[in-house]
Amino acid sequence: MNKINMIQNAIKELEGGSFQKLFDAYLKRKFGFDNIHSLGVQEGTNKPTKGIPDSYVKIDDSYILIMYGSVARSAFNKLKDDILSCIDRSKLNLERNKIKKIITGYLSTNITIEQQEELKMLVPDITIDLIDIGQLSHDLYDKYKYIAKDFLNIDIDTNQILPISEFITKNDSLKTNAKLDMNFFYRENELEKLHNYISESNITIVSGNSGVGKTRLVLEAFRKYNDDWEVLCIRSNGQPLFNDLSYYFNQEGKYLLLIDDANEIIDLRAVMDYIYDLSDSYTVKIVMTIRKYAVNNVTSII
């Protein structure tokens, strides 16, 4: 069974509250919501509750309302009822001009083009976003594998290559690691020097003893590149990385790569060979953190 089918089947097996929590996490990552409020699940449980909407996001003086449908049959009628319930003042006492958008997340993939058009035009002055299990599952596979692992226990790859936000979340969830989600002070000279090295070189090495803040310094430097570059972070968990690379380098473009504790990557030579065999349509800059005792071993590979 391929991974998309596995993801879709696992989603279908979720109880209602779990389905809503998965979708909340997905929407938060997809749209960058930092204040999503869930109303449709009892706190501390996966039991769904009745009410409208299931979740919402407040943006200035307006709201994005989110409705979920975990029933695949009669999906069109369910979606229609959900959308109309958001503007029914007897069900939700919210002025219509304060509703900026309605997002619906649902299990079915059987909504026809004509039905989609009808649903999107159901409330002419409000944007309607329809996200079915097909789009959800492909996004989890292509972009948000950390969510697939967390909610569905499905590994898309070896979980060693992550976007910055997921890398920080994973790091800070382990009590033995120095925290990365923290303020940054007093290292402006080092930061400027690192920016210069990254701009001038394809590979930059940041070395030092354990705990001096190598990784935190690099992540701060990477803030400058987020808009124009695909930024990825690698940290070994003892498995080969080579097979994961094609998953992440599947589109031509500009990549900025942190290889954290590069001396612990068991197939570092194969990783470097893969990156340098990419076509000229790829631009890849690598920053490695290395503990001081291992610098010579890693530089010999480079």
Side-chain angles (χ1 to χ4, degrees):
M1 181 184 301
N2 68 40
K3 290 290 178 70
I4 295 294
N5 288 342
M6 288 177 63
I7 291 171
Q8 291 184 358
N9 287 331
I11 292 171
K12 289 178 180 179
E13 292 175 1
L14 294 175
E15 55 184 313
S18 298
F19 175 74
Q20 292 187 30
K21 287 181 177 179
L22 165 66
F23 235 114
D24 278 349
Y26 163 70
L27 293 177
K28 182 175 181 179
R29 290 282 288 115
K30 183 176 180 66
F31 296 111
F33 295 148
D34 59 1
N35 61 341
I36 190 166
H37 302 275
S38 181
L39 301 176
V41 183
Q42 293 182 23
E43 293 181 2
T45 75
N46 289 323
K47 296 179 180 178
T49 59
K50 292 183 179 180
I52 297 169
D54 291 316
S55 297
Y56 71 90
V57 177
K58 191 174 189 303
I59 300 178
D60 298 326
D61 291 329
S62 61
Y63 294 84
I64 296 174
L65 307 183
I66 305 167
M67 299 293 291
Y68 297 127
S70 57
V71 178
R73 294 181 180 180
S74 303
F76 173 73
N77 292 330
K78 174 68 165 63
L79 286 167
K80 189 173 183 179
D81 289 343
D82 283 348
I83 293 169
L84 292 176
S85 69
C86 291
I87 60 170
D88 185 341
R89 293 294 292 272
S90 67
K91 296 180 179 179
L92 177 63
N93 189 21
L94 179 66
E95 296 175 12
R96 185 162 164 171
N97 62 5
K98 289 196 171 186
I99 303 174
K100 182 177 182 180
K101 179 188 290 189
I102 299 172
I103 299 175
T104 63
Y106 57 100
L107 283 181
S108 176
T109 57
N110 296 322
I111 303 298
T112 66
I113 294 175
E114 294 82 2
Q115 288 174 329
Q116 285 218 29
E117 290 302 308
E118 181 178 341
L119 291 170
K120 288 185 176 182
M121 296 302 296
L122 200 57
V123 189
D125 54 338
I126 297 176
T127 301
I128 310 294
D129 278 355
L130 307 170
I131 302 176
D132 66 8
I133 191 174
Q135 182 178 344
L136 172 63
S137 59
H138 279 88
D139 276 351
L140 293 184
Y141 179 79
D142 290 332
K143 303 174 183 177
Y144 312 122
K145 62 188 182 60
Y146 197 72
I147 297 176
K149 173 63 176 176
D150 194 25
F151 285 86
L152 306 174
N153 200 30
I154 294 176
D155 287 316
I156 308 300
D157 56 23
T158 62
N159 286 298
Q160 298 178 94
I161 306 177
L162 298 168
I164 283 184
S165 59
E166 294 177 10
F167 177 79
I168 292 173
T169 298
K170 183 177 180 182
N171 175 89
D172 289 3
S173 68
L174 301 175
K175 294 181 179 180
T176 56
N177 289 344
K179 299 298 182 186
L180 295 175
D181 186 11
M182 59 192 305
N183 292 326
F184 186 88
F185 299 108
Y186 310 124
R187 302 181 70 182
E188 289 79 7
N189 290 338
E190 291 174 276
L191 189 60
E192 182 180 359
K193 185 182 294 186
L194 181 54
H195 279 147
N196 291 336
Y197 280 130
I198 294 172
S199 66
E200 295 170 1
S201 309
N202 288 331
I203 298 180
T204 302
I205 291 176
V206 179
S207 66
N209 294 325
S210 175
V212 299
K214 299 183 296 296
T215 305
R216 183 65 186 85
L217 177 66
V218 174
L219 294 180
E220 190 66 24
F222 277 12
R223 289 180 185 274
K224 182 177 180 180
Y225 298 87
N226 268 334
D227 293 337
D228 300 325
W229 295 70
E230 179 74 19
V231 182
L232 298 170
C233 304
I234 293 178
R235 179 179 289 164
S236 173
N237 62 13
Q239 300 181 68
L241 265 167
F242 184 82
N243 291 332
D244 293 354
L245 293 172
S246 60
Y247 177 89
Y248 289 93
F249 289 89
N250 61 357
Q251 289 185 338
E252 299 171 349
K254 298 163 68 176
Y255 291 83
L256 186 62
L257 192 62
L258 163 64
I259 304 182
D260 198 34
D261 284 333
N263 48 292
E264 295 185 0
I265 305 296
I266 63 175
D267 56 346
L268 181 60
R269 187 180 299 277
V271 170
M272 299 302 296
D273 285 343
Y274 179 93
I275 291 172
Y276 278 94
D277 281 340
L278 292 170
S279 71
D280 292 340
S281 57
Y282 288 82
T283 300
V284 183
K285 287 183 175 290
I286 300 169
V287 181
M288 297 181 176
T289 66
I290 307 172
R291 298 190 182 184
K292 211 166 186 178
Y293 67 84
V295 169
N296 290 338
N297 290 338
V298 173
T299 52
S300 68
I301 293 175
I302 296 172

